[in-house]
Amino acid sequence: MYPSQSAVRLTVQEAVHILKSSEDAGHLLSTLGALKPYLGGAEGTAFPGGKEEFATVHFSAFLRCLVSKLSPSWLELSPGGELEQLWESFFLEGPADQAFLVLMEAIEGTAGPSFRLMKMAQLLATFLSKGRMAALMEEHCQPQKKPGFPLLQETLLSKVVGLPDHLGNHLQQDNLTQFFPQNYFPLLGQEAVRALQAVVDFLRGGLDCSVFFVSQVLGRVCIQGRQKEILGVLVPQLTMLTQDSCLWQRVCWHLVEQVPDRAVEAVLTGLVEATPRPEVLSRLLGNLVVKNKKAQFVMTRKLLFLQYRYTTPMLQSLLGYLAMDSQRQPLLIQVLKELLETWGNSSAVRHTPLVQQRYISTAILICLAYLKESELQDIRDELLASMMAGVKCRLDSSLPPVRRLGMIVAEVISSKIHPEGPLKFQYEDDELSCEMLTLATPRLAGDCSSEAGGPSLAPVATERSEQTMDSSAPPAQPQGSDSELDSDDEFTPYDMSGDKELKSSKAPLYIRDCIEALTTSVDVEHWEAALQVLEGLIYRSPEATREVSVELAKVLLHLEEKTCVAGFQQLRQRALVAVTVKDPAQVAKYLTSQFYSLNYSLRQRMDILDVLTLAAQELSRPRHLQRPPQNSSPGSVTQYSPALAISQPGDAAAPDWRVVVEERIRSKTRRFSKGCPWQELSSSPNEFNSVAGYFFFPLLQHFDRPVVTFDLLGDDQLVLGRLTHTLGSLMYLAVNTTVAVPMGKALLEFVWALRFHVDTYVRRGLLSAVSSVFLSVPTECLLEDLPDELLEARSWLADVAEKDVDEDCRELAVRALLLLERFKDKLLPISSP
């Protein structure tokens, strides 16, 4: 006959009475020792069924009694420490969930720093280090028959996940390092692996169990933003355990499937970030994306379209996971279609940041790399339609990175659906283009580390090396020849670096001869020589230049390249700038009148804007800072400072006799005190002051009047963006001039008419123009003549700084607002009575 349950209850009540009343160490040790057999892992004899009753009914109350007796004097009743060890064993060997809850309750119920608080905190640290958290989770993975279990589980979840916050609030400066989040959550991940190992062992033994509690813990930790800490430990170990075990894979699938819906996004995001390869992600998730609609939305929509902060390896892992199973491949094809639809949407191109556009382009290339040729041929028509729409809207963009992304993606799509005749574009090869092309290489069939275009580069390199070897190798000599005796390797080679190519035709000496050569000459060398010396002749002959300035500007504006002249565009542009500097009024009138005329290409119109900007820069620069024209390398730079006069080549070798005499006198004269060297700076008027109106106002007259081949407010947004930047530059160069105030007012009206333009490049130019007005127009004039414009500009700039999708536009708006604030601070003392 088993004793009744009242026997266990009487034993516990007697023990509690002795603990509260006795001060005899021996009596206390014997009392606690009598209850040790009721602990789950303790050795000894106990009544059958007594352990279960003690654990379910009496254990928590007994632990609270032990906590109430904790004090230095009570522990010192046993000098050898036996009482303290026995006291701790009840917390470390009994049911882990109840022990953990009592420890947390005791810590939170103790007010202020005390011996009891620190002792309980140290005991909790020991509890964690002994692996009791794994035992806690293991207990709740087994079938539960306790009444009120859901309430207990919810309390445990909040305490387990919130332990660092609870301990930090109560211990504050005395908090232990084991409770820091960066230390606790990796430990929790390790304990979760141990609990899952116990689940696998139960399943192998034919026992029923569940991973629901571990899933709840994982979900709550990830919701709190601690994915990296817990998954950084959990994912590497699960990667190894699932490699050769189907049972472990199924456990992982159930682990993620039972995560709460509100935590699915956080868990999946953390897993994708922490998983190194798509095959590992496939082992951990299985077909979760097919079974769970929330997971499908997160994996195929939110991580790709609504967010763009993730790295390229994460995208490869995510999209590779969709491609690795036949049930998931339809989702990958659907994702590719939606990505291309977004990529080809003109509104999305205009209103999304460049970073997000690059993110979507990267995802498209990765999808193309994972899909087979047969799968792509099935959706060939849809891919072609999306590609053509996307290429058109991206090539129309005024931002070079957007156009380059469109060309790269279009080339890859074309090579996939039309391998016999793919599209080819000309763009600059840089780090971005190489990285994007590398992503398009197939990754399921071949090596993932191989670079795109790698096989095609090797033959080229080999061919080049062979050509080099063939050209440098000496001809084969027959055996017995005395070629070694005729070697001239010991002689020093003659320096031929200064040699120049001899030309049959002489360079023109007069500007009219240059005009004739450029317009009528059929001699290519004569034409090229005239173009190369034209800039120097303009600066040496200002009077002759003014006589034919407009005619020369017309010739240069319509000049086309006849031969492959090194730096043709730079030579032509520098000559145009030179003639504009020498006769600014007449040439500026001509160029601005031609800007809105018919039968000009967009390239010529942008050349007009560039020449006006560079010429204005030269005219506004003081004479002592102007530099001679650059004749050494025409293609090296595009912006320069031509001099007003150039000396003859032979004059530089003969020094002025006055300089020689003054130097001799200075060397022979003794001075006892010598001040700082003083050099008088040559002063000269701002030459741009008198001609700024010819450069500026004609460009504003007809911007809203479309012509047959030119529509600034329509498709020619690139030229409009260049025009806004040019107007801002001219405004900035007109600082301290008399015409700055009317220029600023006209420019603000122009900006106000276009302030909501959809093109990013245009908005950048408008914001730069506003800053140029604030920098060039005097502060008093701004407040006296343009008060309404300033108020409107301030509200518009604040809206742009907060809501514009382009980062550069937001930065420019903030700078303009800072200029406004600075002006207001300067005027406060003046306006005060």
Side-chain angles (χ1 to χ4, degrees):
M1 294 293 296
Y2 294 120
S4 63
Q5 295 182 354
S6 60
V8 179
R9 183 171 61 254
L10 291 175
T11 304
V12 173
Q13 290 177 354
E14 182 180 358
V16 170
H17 176 72
I18 293 174
L19 289 174
K20 291 182 178 180
S21 59
S22 177
E23 297 292 336
D24 185 7
H27 197 190
L28 293 174
L29 290 174
S30 61
T31 301
L32 294 177
L35 291 178
K36 278 295 293 286
Y38 292 105
L39 296 179
E43 297 180 357
T45 59
F47 298 122
K51 290 184 178 182
E52 182 178 355
E53 181 186 352
F54 180 75
T56 56
V57 180
H58 308 291
F59 185 65
S60 296
F62 183 71
L63 291 182
R64 293 187 182 93
C65 177
L66 292 178
V67 170
S68 64
K69 295 299 296 180
L70 182 61
S71 64
S73 59
W74 190 77
L75 293 178
E76 290 175 357
L77 294 176
S78 175
E82 294 87 352
L83 182 59
E84 182 176 0
Q85 294 179 2
L86 192 58
W87 177 82
E88 291 181 352
S89 65
F90 281 87
F91 293 91
L92 301 178
E93 298 177 9
D97 53 352
Q98 299 184 54
F100 176 76
L101 288 176
V102 171
L103 286 174
M104 293 295 296
E105 177 187 339
I107 292 174
E108 295 175 356
T110 304
S114 62
F115 171 81
R116 176 179 296 178
L117 179 63
M118 295 309 303
K119 190 66 178 178
M120 299 303 297
Q122 293 172 1
L123 180 58
L124 181 59
T126 305
F127 181 90
L128 296 178
S129 63
K130 295 291 187 180
R132 299 300 293 165
M133 191 63 71
L136 185 152
M137 289 187 278
E138 179 183 341
E139 291 175 0
H140 288 267
C141 289
Q142 301 176 16
Q144 301 293 334
K145 298 180 181 179
K146 303 176 183 178
F149 172 71
L151 180 61
L152 172 64
Q153 192 176 79
E154 183 64 26
T155 305
L156 270 176
L157 284 172
S158 62
K159 299 297 183 182
V160 169
V161 177
L163 184 143
D165 296 333
H166 292 296
L167 272 295
N169 290 335
H170 286 84
L171 297 179
Q172 296 183 359
Q173 300 297 330
D174 298 325
N175 195 12
L176 303 180
T177 58
Q178 293 92 327
F179 305 140
F180 291 171
Q182 61 269 26
N183 298 327
Y184 173 73
F185 289 110
L187 172 67
L188 191 61
Q190 187 68 40
E191 298 296 274
V193 174
R194 294 181 180 177
L196 293 177
Q197 180 65 61
V199 170
V200 172
D201 294 338
F202 291 149
L203 293 175
R204 286 173 178 168
L207 300 178
D208 189 17
C209 56
S210 172
V211 294
F212 178 78
F213 186 80
V214 183
S215 299
Q216 298 290 315
V217 171
L218 178 62
R220 293 205 178 191
V221 172
C222 292
I223 286 179
Q224 291 188 2
R226 295 294 177 177
Q227 300 102 315
K228 291 184 178 180
E229 286 84 352
I230 188 169
L231 294 177
V233 174
L234 197 63
V235 169
Q237 297 196 34
L238 294 181
T239 300
M240 298 179 60
L241 293 170
T242 56
Q243 188 171 2
D244 300 320
S245 175
C246 296
L247 183 57
W248 265 105
Q249 292 183 22
R250 294 191 62 184
V251 169
C252 291
W253 298 348
H254 285 283
L255 175 68
V256 185
E257 288 173 2
Q258 298 186 27
V259 169
D261 286 343
R262 60 192 181 95
V264 167
E265 179 183 350
V267 173
L268 290 180
T269 302
L271 283 174
V272 175
E273 288 179 339
T275 304
R277 297 181 304 276
E279 58 270 18
V280 176
L281 190 62
S282 180
R283 296 202 303 264
L284 297 182
L285 298 181
N287 284 331
L288 175 70
V289 71
V290 179
K291 302 176 182 178
N292 191 317
K293 292 298 182 181
K294 180 68 177 292
Q296 184 178 126
F297 172 77
V298 171
M299 299 285 279
T300 62
R301 295 291 303 176
K302 194 160 190 179
L303 298 184
L304 296 174
F305 297 94
L306 304 181
Q307 299 176 359
Y308 51 93
R309 63 182 178 87
Y310 304 111
T311 61
T312 300
M314 177 180 170
L315 281 176
Q316 291 175 332
S317 180
L318 169 61
L319 298 173
Y321 160 74
L322 297 178
M324 289 196 66
D325 189 84
S326 59
Q327 297 184 20
R328 302 193 293 263
Q329 278 187 354
L331 294 176
L332 180 64
I333 296 175
Q334 183 64 29
V335 164
L336 176 60
K337 293 179 182 178
E338 294 176 354
L339 285 171
L340 285 173
E341 182 180 356
T342 303
W343 181 79
N345 190 332
S346 59
S347 178
V349 173
R350 291 194 302 265
H351 296 95
T352 55
L354 180 60
V355 180
Q356 186 174 5
Q357 297 186 40
R358 179 179 176 181
Y359 185 81
I360 292 177
S361 301
T362 301
I364 291 174
L365 296 181
I366 295 174
C367 289
L368 293 173
Y370 280 122
L371 289 174
K372 300 177 182 179
E373 183 178 355
S374 59
E375 297 167 345
L376 292 174
Q377 292 300 324
D378 294 338
I379 56 173
R380 177 177 177 175
D381 295 338
E382 298 180 39
L383 293 180
L384 182 60
S386 300
M387 181 192 73
M388 298 305 296
V391 168
K392 181 182 182 302
C393 67
R394 289 183 177 274
L395 292 183
D396 290 341
S397 175
S398 57
L399 299 179
V402 176
R403 295 197 298 270
R404 188 181 306 169
L405 282 176
M407 288 185 263
I408 293 174
V409 176
E411 277 190 357
V412 175
I413 297 176
S414 177
S415 64
K416 295 288 186 180
I417 61 178
H418 288 291
E420 64 280 356
L423 292 175
K424 291 295 181 182
F425 296 93
Q426 293 182 356
Y427 52 86
E428 182 182 356
D429 290 333
D430 57 358
E431 183 179 356
L432 172 62
S433 61
C434 294
E435 178 185 352
M436 299 290 285
L437 292 174
T438 303
L439 297 175
T441 56
R443 298 188 171 273
L444 290 180
D447 185 11
C448 295
S449 62
S450 61
E451 293 290 333
S456 61
L457 293 178
V460 176
T462 306
E463 181 181 353
R464 290 180 179 176
S465 63
E466 290 177 356
Q467 292 177 356
T468 304
M469 293 176 62
D470 292 342
S471 60
S472 60
Q477 297 289 341
Q479 293 184 359
S481 67
D482 55 351
S483 59
E484 295 180 358
L485 299 178
D486 296 336
S487 175
D488 55 357
D489 292 343
E490 68 273 9
F491 296 108
T492 304
Y494 186 75
D495 185 12
M496 302 177 65
S497 59
D499 290 359
K500 297 182 179 179
E501 182 182 358
L502 294 177
K503 297 183 178 180
S504 59
S505 60
K506 294 183 180 180
L509 299 178
Y510 300 97
I511 293 179
R512 292 184 183 274
D513 294 340
C514 288
I515 295 176
E516 183 180 356
L518 293 175
T519 54
T520 63
S521 177
V522 294
D523 187 355
V524 175
E525 293 185 358
H526 189 53
W527 182 88
E528 181 178 344
L531 181 61
Q532 291 178 347
V533 301
L534 180 57
E535 180 193 6
L537 292 176
I538 292 173
Y539 283 111
R540 285 199 296 267
S541 307
E543 295 297 334
T545 301
R546 295 187 187 98
E547 295 177 0
V548 293
S549 58
V550 176
E551 180 183 358
L552 179 57
K554 182 177 181 180
V555 170
L556 290 173
L557 184 60
H558 294 83
L559 188 63
E560 296 181 356
E561 187 175 5
K562 291 184 177 181
T563 61
C564 296
V565 182
F568 168 77
Q569 294 294 338
Q570 287 75 23
L571 289 172
R572 171 174 165 270
Q573 183 187 75
R574 285 159 52 177
L576 266 172
V577 172
V579 70
T580 308
V581 169
K582 287 308 174 184
D583 194 4
Q586 298 300 322
V587 178
K589 283 182 181 179
Y590 169 74
L591 292 177
T592 53
S593 65
Q594 298 304 302
F595 181 73
Y596 291 106
S597 298
L598 295 173
N599 301 326
Y600 279 93
S601 65
L602 299 183
R603 178 70 266 174
Q604 288 174 312
R605 300 181 197 275
M606 289 191 290
D607 288 339
I608 291 175
L609 297 176
D610 293 340
V611 169
L612 291 174
T613 303
L614 293 173
Q617 180 181 353
E618 290 303 321
L619 291 170
S620 63
R621 180 178 292 137
R623 292 185 180 181
H624 68 277
L625 295 178
Q626 294 179 354
R627 296 167 293 181
Q630 303 168 357
N631 296 323
S632 57
S633 57
S636 58
V637 292
T638 58
Q639 295 186 2
Y640 61 99
S641 300
L644 296 178
I646 300 177
S647 61
Q648 295 295 332
D651 295 341
D656 193 357
W657 65 270
R658 293 185 181 86
V659 178
V660 177
V661 173
E662 290 178 0
E663 183 64 29
R664 289 180 180 176
I665 294 174
R666 190 180 299 109
S667 64
K668 300 294 183 179
T669 304
R670 297 178 61 189
R671 292 181 173 86
F672 296 100
S673 177
K674 191 175 183 180
C676 298
W678 177 78
Q679 182 179 3
E680 182 179 1
L681 297 178
S682 60
S683 60
S684 60
N686 186 349
E687 299 180 8
F688 187 60
N689 181 21
S690 59
V691 296
Y694 297 107
F695 284 71
F696 184 81
F697 291 108
L699 295 176
L700 290 174
Q701 290 181 353
H702 306 297
F703 75 92
D704 56 346
R705 299 180 186 177
V707 294
V708 177
T709 59
F710 186 49
D711 186 7
L712 280 179
L713 301 183
D715 296 333
D716 300 325
Q717 299 176 356
L718 177 61
V719 185
L720 178 61
R722 186 69 65 88
L723 175 62
T724 58
H725 285 84
T726 300
L727 293 173
S729 300
L730 295 176
M731 184 73 246
Y732 179 74
L733 295 172
V735 61
N736 298 327
T737 62
T738 56
V739 75
V741 176
M743 285 177 62
K745 187 170 184 178
L747 186 55
L748 285 181
E749 292 177 356
F750 172 79
V751 170
W752 197 248
L754 299 174
R755 66 189 185 278
F756 296 123
H757 202 279
V758 296
D759 189 77
T760 303
Y761 186 58
V762 175
R763 295 200 306 275
R764 292 179 186 176
L766 296 174
L767 292 168
S768 300
V770 171
S771 298
S772 299
V773 173
F774 296 158
L775 291 171
S776 300
V777 180
T779 307
E780 294 80 2
C781 297
L782 280 174
L783 292 183
E784 291 177 2
D785 300 338
L786 309 172
D788 298 334
E789 289 82 352
L790 290 182
L791 291 176
E792 294 175 347
R794 185 174 184 179
S795 60
W796 169 61
L797 291 172
D799 187 67
V800 172
E802 181 181 0
K803 300 178 181 179
D804 200 285
V805 297
D806 185 66
E807 183 179 358
D808 292 337
C809 289
R810 295 195 299 270
E811 183 178 352
L812 289 172
V814 171
R815 292 181 179 180
L817 286 172
L818 292 177
L819 290 175
L820 274 178
E821 293 296 326
R822 187 184 64 179
F823 294 156
K824 184 182 68 174
D825 295 341
K826 284 184 178 181
L827 289 176
L828 282 178
I830 300 177
S831 60
S832 60

PDB file of all heavy atoms in Angstrom, residues 797-815:
ATOM      1  N   LEU A 797      11.745  74.299 -49.077  1.00  0.00           N
ATOM      2  CA  LEU A 797      12.993  73.625 -48.714  1.00  0.00           C
ATOM      3  C   LEU A 797      12.789  72.695 -47.519  1.00  0.00           C
ATOM      4  O   LEU A 797      13.358  71.599 -47.474  1.00  0.00           O
ATOM      5  CB  LEU A 797      14.073  74.659 -48.404  1.00  0.00           C
ATOM      6  CG  LEU A 797      14.597  75.477 -49.593  1.00  0.00           C
ATOM      7  CD1 LEU A 797      15.504  76.595 -49.108  1.00  0.00           C
ATOM      8  CD2 LEU A 797      15.337  74.577 -50.570  1.00  0.00           C
ATOM      9  N   ALA A 798      11.996  73.123 -46.557  1.00  0.00           N
ATOM     10  CA  ALA A 798      11.732  72.258 -45.401  1.00  0.00           C
ATOM     11  C   ALA A 798      11.003  70.992 -45.829  1.00  0.00           C
ATOM     12  O   ALA A 798      11.296  69.891 -45.329  1.00  0.00           O
ATOM     13  CB  ALA A 798      10.911  73.025 -44.361  1.00  0.00           C
ATOM     14  N   ASP A 799      10.064  71.115 -46.754  1.00  0.00           N
ATOM     15  CA  ASP A 799       9.338  69.948 -47.245  1.00  0.00           C
ATOM     16  C   ASP A 799      10.267  69.014 -48.011  1.00  0.00           C
ATOM     17  O   ASP A 799      10.190  67.784 -47.861  1.00  0.00           O
ATOM     18  CB  ASP A 799       8.186  70.410 -48.130  1.00  0.00           C
ATOM     19  CG  ASP A 799       7.285  69.259 -48.540  1.00  0.00           C
ATOM     20  OD1 ASP A 799       6.617  68.693 -47.656  1.00  0.00           O
ATOM     21  OD2 ASP A 799       7.260  68.906 -49.727  1.00  0.00           O
ATOM     22  N   VAL A 800      11.157  69.558 -48.831  1.00  0.00           N
ATOM     23  CA  VAL A 800      12.100  68.726 -49.580  1.00  0.00           C
ATOM     24  C   VAL A 800      13.066  68.024 -48.635  1.00  0.00           C
ATOM     25  O   VAL A 800      13.366  66.833 -48.798  1.00  0.00           O
ATOM     26  CB  VAL A 800      12.871  69.589 -50.609  1.00  0.00           C
ATOM     27  CG1 VAL A 800      13.985  68.784 -51.260  1.00  0.00           C
ATOM     28  CG2 VAL A 800      11.920  70.108 -51.665  1.00  0.00           C
ATOM     29  N   ALA A 801      13.569  68.744 -47.641  1.00  0.00           N
ATOM     30  CA  ALA A 801      14.524  68.149 -46.701  1.00  0.00           C
ATOM     31  C   ALA A 801      13.921  66.990 -45.924  1.00  0.00           C
ATOM     32  O   ALA A 801      14.640  66.104 -45.469  1.00  0.00           O
ATOM     33  CB  ALA A 801      15.026  69.220 -45.729  1.00  0.00           C
ATOM     34  N   GLU A 802      12.611  66.961 -45.786  1.00  0.00           N
ATOM     35  CA  GLU A 802      11.961  65.908 -45.001  1.00  0.00           C
ATOM     36  C   GLU A 802      11.432  64.768 -45.863  1.00  0.00           C
ATOM     37  O   GLU A 802      11.504  63.597 -45.453  1.00  0.00           O
ATOM     38  CB  GLU A 802      10.812  66.521 -44.204  1.00  0.00           C
ATOM     39  CG  GLU A 802      10.069  65.526 -43.324  1.00  0.00           C
ATOM     40  CD  GLU A 802       8.927  66.170 -42.561  1.00  0.00           C
ATOM     41  OE1 GLU A 802       8.719  67.399 -42.724  1.00  0.00           O
ATOM     42  OE2 GLU A 802       8.243  65.459 -41.815  1.00  0.00           O
ATOM     43  N   LYS A 803      10.941  65.062 -47.072  1.00  0.00           N
ATOM     44  CA  LYS A 803      10.169  64.070 -47.806  1.00  0.00           C
ATOM     45  C   LYS A 803      10.771  63.635 -49.128  1.00  0.00           C
ATOM     46  O   LYS A 803      10.282  62.668 -49.707  1.00  0.00           O
ATOM     47  CB  LYS A 803       8.763  64.608 -48.067  1.00  0.00           C
ATOM     48  CG  LYS A 803       7.985  64.944 -46.815  1.00  0.00           C
ATOM     49  CD  LYS A 803       6.615  65.517 -47.150  1.00  0.00           C
ATOM     50  CE  LYS A 803       5.832  65.892 -45.900  1.00  0.00           C
ATOM     51  NZ  LYS A 803       4.504  66.477 -46.230  1.00  0.00           N
ATOM     52  N   ASP A 804      11.771  64.325 -49.673  1.00  0.00           N
ATOM     53  CA  ASP A 804      12.285  63.963 -50.990  1.00  0.00           C
ATOM     54  C   ASP A 804      12.929  62.584 -50.948  1.00  0.00           C
ATOM     55  O   ASP A 804      13.604  62.225 -49.976  1.00  0.00           O
ATOM     56  CB  ASP A 804      13.302  65.003 -51.467  1.00  0.00           C
ATOM     57  CG  ASP A 804      13.491  64.943 -52.977  1.00  0.00           C
ATOM     58  OD1 ASP A 804      14.161  64.003 -53.448  1.00  0.00           O
ATOM     59  OD2 ASP A 804      12.958  65.804 -53.682  1.00  0.00           O
ATOM     60  N   VAL A 805      12.734  61.812 -52.017  1.00  0.00           N
ATOM     61  CA  VAL A 805      13.250  60.440 -52.048  1.00  0.00           C
ATOM     62  C   VAL A 805      14.741  60.398 -52.315  1.00  0.00           C
ATOM     63  O   VAL A 805      15.399  59.399 -51.999  1.00  0.00           O
ATOM     64  CB  VAL A 805      12.516  59.614 -53.122  1.00  0.00           C
ATOM     65  CG1 VAL A 805      11.056  59.502 -52.799  1.00  0.00           C
ATOM     66  CG2 VAL A 805      12.700  60.224 -54.515  1.00  0.00           C
ATOM     67  N   ASP A 806      15.309  61.463 -52.892  1.00  0.00           N
ATOM     68  CA  ASP A 806      16.727  61.469 -53.242  1.00  0.00           C
ATOM     69  C   ASP A 806      17.546  62.035 -52.088  1.00  0.00           C
ATOM     70  O   ASP A 806      17.233  63.105 -51.540  1.00  0.00           O
ATOM     71  CB  ASP A 806      16.956  62.297 -54.504  1.00  0.00           C
ATOM     72  CG  ASP A 806      18.401  62.235 -54.968  1.00  0.00           C
ATOM     73  OD1 ASP A 806      18.841  61.144 -55.375  1.00  0.00           O
ATOM     74  OD2 ASP A 806      19.091  63.257 -54.896  1.00  0.00           O
ATOM     75  N   GLU A 807      18.603  61.331 -51.720  1.00  0.00           N
ATOM     76  CA  GLU A 807      19.431  61.751 -50.592  1.00  0.00           C
ATOM     77  C   GLU A 807      20.158  63.055 -50.889  1.00  0.00           C
ATOM     78  O   GLU A 807      20.273  63.926 -50.020  1.00  0.00           O
ATOM     79  CB  GLU A 807      20.437  60.646 -50.262  1.00  0.00           C
ATOM     80  CG  GLU A 807      21.311  60.944 -49.055  1.00  0.00           C
ATOM     81  CD  GLU A 807      22.265  59.814 -48.747  1.00  0.00           C
ATOM     82  OE1 GLU A 807      22.212  58.784 -49.455  1.00  0.00           O
ATOM     83  OE2 GLU A 807      23.075  59.958 -47.807  1.00  0.00           O
ATOM     84  N   ASP A 808      20.664  63.224 -52.113  1.00  0.00           N
ATOM     85  CA  ASP A 808      21.365  64.455 -52.462  1.00  0.00           C
ATOM     86  C   ASP A 808      20.423  65.651 -52.422  1.00  0.00           C
ATOM     87  O   ASP A 808      20.821  66.746 -51.996  1.00  0.00           O
ATOM     88  CB  ASP A 808      21.989  64.326 -53.852  1.00  0.00           C
ATOM     89  CG  ASP A 808      23.132  63.325 -53.876  1.00  0.00           C
ATOM     90  OD1 ASP A 808      23.705  63.076 -52.801  1.00  0.00           O
ATOM     91  OD2 ASP A 808      23.447  62.794 -54.952  1.00  0.00           O
ATOM     92  N   CYS A 809      19.191  65.477 -52.854  1.00  0.00           N
ATOM     93  CA  CYS A 809      18.221  66.577 -52.790  1.00  0.00           C
ATOM     94  C   CYS A 809      17.946  66.972 -51.345  1.00  0.00           C
ATOM     95  O   CYS A 809      17.865  68.171 -51.024  1.00  0.00           O
ATOM     96  CB  CYS A 809      16.919  66.174 -53.489  1.00  0.00           C
ATOM     97  SG  CYS A 809      17.039  66.058 -55.291  1.00  0.00           S
ATOM     98  N   ARG A 810      17.809  66.005 -50.478  1.00  0.00           N
ATOM     99  CA  ARG A 810      17.577  66.329 -49.063  1.00  0.00           C
ATOM    100  C   ARG A 810      18.771  67.076 -48.466  1.00  0.00           C
ATOM    101  O   ARG A 810      18.603  68.031 -47.697  1.00  0.00           O
ATOM    102  CB  ARG A 810      17.305  65.043 -48.278  1.00  0.00           C
ATOM    103  CG  ARG A 810      16.027  64.321 -48.687  1.00  0.00           C
ATOM    104  CD  ARG A 810      15.624  63.285 -47.657  1.00  0.00           C
ATOM    105  NE  ARG A 810      16.629  62.260 -47.490  1.00  0.00           N
ATOM    106  CZ  ARG A 810      16.678  61.129 -48.182  1.00  0.00           C
ATOM    107  NH1 ARG A 810      15.741  60.891 -49.094  1.00  0.00           N
ATOM    108  NH2 ARG A 810      17.618  60.225 -47.976  1.00  0.00           N
ATOM    109  N   GLU A 811      19.969  66.648 -48.829  1.00  0.00           N
ATOM    110  CA  GLU A 811      21.166  67.319 -48.311  1.00  0.00           C
ATOM    111  C   GLU A 811      21.266  68.749 -48.835  1.00  0.00           C
ATOM    112  O   GLU A 811      21.594  69.679 -48.082  1.00  0.00           O
ATOM    113  CB  GLU A 811      22.405  66.519 -48.706  1.00  0.00           C
ATOM    114  CG  GLU A 811      23.704  67.091 -48.156  1.00  0.00           C
ATOM    115  CD  GLU A 811      24.903  66.244 -48.538  1.00  0.00           C
ATOM    116  OE1 GLU A 811      24.688  65.147 -49.095  1.00  0.00           O
ATOM    117  OE2 GLU A 811      26.031  66.679 -48.298  1.00  0.00           O
ATOM    118  N   LEU A 812      20.983  68.964 -50.116  1.00  0.00           N
ATOM    119  CA  LEU A 812      21.025  70.314 -50.677  1.00  0.00           C
ATOM    120  C   LEU A 812      19.969  71.209 -50.037  1.00  0.00           C
ATOM    121  O   LEU A 812      20.221  72.403 -49.790  1.00  0.00           O
ATOM    122  CB  LEU A 812      20.812  70.242 -52.185  1.00  0.00           C
ATOM    123  CG  LEU A 812      21.962  69.655 -53.015  1.00  0.00           C
ATOM    124  CD1 LEU A 812      21.528  69.456 -54.458  1.00  0.00           C
ATOM    125  CD2 LEU A 812      23.186  70.550 -52.953  1.00  0.00           C
ATOM    126  N   ALA A 813      18.792  70.668 -49.763  1.00  0.00           N
ATOM    127  CA  ALA A 813      17.745  71.457 -49.107  1.00  0.00           C
ATOM    128  C   ALA A 813      18.160  71.861 -47.697  1.00  0.00           C
ATOM    129  O   ALA A 813      17.909  73.000 -47.265  1.00  0.00           O
ATOM    130  CB  ALA A 813      16.442  70.663 -49.084  1.00  0.00           C
ATOM    131  N   VAL A 814      18.792  70.959 -46.981  1.00  0.00           N
ATOM    132  CA  VAL A 814      19.263  71.292 -45.624  1.00  0.00           C
ATOM    133  C   VAL A 814      20.317  72.391 -45.669  1.00  0.00           C
ATOM    134  O   VAL A 814      20.314  73.318 -44.847  1.00  0.00           O
ATOM    135  CB  VAL A 814      19.812  70.025 -44.941  1.00  0.00           C
ATOM    136  CG1 VAL A 814      20.508  70.378 -43.640  1.00  0.00           C
ATOM    137  CG2 VAL A 814      18.688  69.033 -44.672  1.00  0.00           C
ATOM    138  N   ARG A 815      21.221  72.325 -46.632  1.00  0.00           N
ATOM    139  CA  ARG A 815      22.237  73.373 -46.751  1.00  0.00           C
ATOM    140  C   ARG A 815      21.603  74.729 -47.062  1.00  0.00           C
ATOM    141  O   ARG A 815      22.008  75.758 -46.503  1.00  0.00           O
ATOM    142  CB  ARG A 815      23.234  72.999 -47.841  1.00  0.00           C
ATOM    143  CG  ARG A 815      24.103  71.798 -47.500  1.00  0.00           C
ATOM    144  CD  ARG A 815      25.096  71.501 -48.611  1.00  0.00           C
ATOM    145  NE  ARG A 815      25.946  70.364 -48.280  1.00  0.00           N
ATOM    146  CZ  ARG A 815      26.890  69.891 -49.070  1.00  0.00           C
ATOM    147  NH1 ARG A 815      27.124  70.460 -50.248  1.00  0.00           N
ATOM    148  NH2 ARG A 815      27.622  68.857 -48.700  1.00  0.00           N
TER     149      ARG A 815
END
